[in-house]
Amino acid sequence: MNTLSLKTVSVSREEALQQKEWVVIDAEGQILGRMCSKVAKLLRGKYKPNFTPNQDCGDNVIIINAAKVQLTGKKMTDREYVRYTGYPGGQRFTTPEQLLAKSPEAWIRKVVKGMLPKNHLGERIITHLYVFAGAEHNMQAQQPKQLDINTIK
């Protein structure tokens, strides 16, 4: 019987490393959650035809103009992030406005990390994200290509 092979092809670690690319995304005027979900998919490699769930086959992503990202509605002042120091009375609340003023890079990294797997693979993938508050970045040696985040689904 002459039929097509229906075998699932898994990408090895070496093959995944050869297919990695460098991508620059401009965050100016972008909505935070929508942009970060697409960045998480890029980091994970879900836009590639050879996606393998248990391998790091995604791209390296550089985000510039992180300080100019936006939230819809009144979320900038009304939303609260909660953390706990471990001591009695140690519950601390911060708003996105405070996080943006303190460190926009850490804020975007926190949002993207929440969209990645909560295991060793997710920890390895988040290291391929580079966030810069301004329009300049120091990754010119990798010759990244500019990507319009609005063109991908």
Side-chain angles (χ1 to χ4, degrees):
M1 204 159 116
N2 265 342
T3 60
L4 294 173
S5 174
L6 299 176
K7 292 182 180 178
T8 302
V9 179
S10 293
V11 177
S12 69
R13 183 180 231 173
E14 292 78 24
E15 291 172 0
L17 286 175
Q18 292 174 354
Q19 298 170 356
K20 279 188 173 288
E21 296 177 353
W22 285 83
V23 178
V24 175
I25 294 174
D26 190 4
E28 185 173 1
Q30 296 290 326
I31 306 299
L32 177 72
R34 295 167 196 238
M35 179 194 70
C36 288
S37 65
K38 293 175 184 179
V39 168
K41 283 184 181 180
L42 281 170
L43 287 170
R44 190 85 199 277
K46 287 199 164 193
Y47 290 114
K48 294 189 174 188
N50 58 357
F51 170 68
T52 306
N54 63 339
Q55 290 295 329
D56 177 16
C57 53
D59 295 332
N60 297 304
V61 179
I62 303 165
I63 298 177
I64 57 173
N65 290 323
K68 298 177 183 175
V69 75
Q70 298 174 350
L71 289 175
T72 58
K74 297 193 308 185
K75 293 178 196 148
M76 194 66 87
T77 55
D78 291 354
R79 176 176 284 170
E80 286 185 333
Y81 294 110
V82 182
R83 64 184 177 88
Y84 181 60
T85 63
Y87 289 97
Q91 200 171 21
R92 303 287 186 251
F93 301 94
T94 54
T95 63
E97 193 173 40
Q98 293 167 340
L99 289 174
L100 184 64
K102 184 177 179 183
S103 175
E105 299 94 349
W107 183 39
I108 290 182
R109 183 174 292 275
K110 172 186 173 64
V111 174
V112 172
K113 187 175 181 180
M115 299 179 184
L116 292 175
K118 278 59 171 185
N119 53 23
H120 293 294
L121 181 62
E123 292 172 9
R124 194 170 350 127
I125 289 173
I126 196 69
T127 62
H128 302 302
L129 175 66
Y130 303 90
V131 185
F132 298 95
E136 299 296 321
H137 63 87
N138 58 2
M139 302 288 176
Q140 287 87 9
Q142 281 72 28
Q143 299 169 346
K145 63 178 185 176
Q146 188 76 26
L147 179 68
D148 184 16
I149 199 75
N150 297 324
T151 59
I152 59 176
K153 289 187 177 184

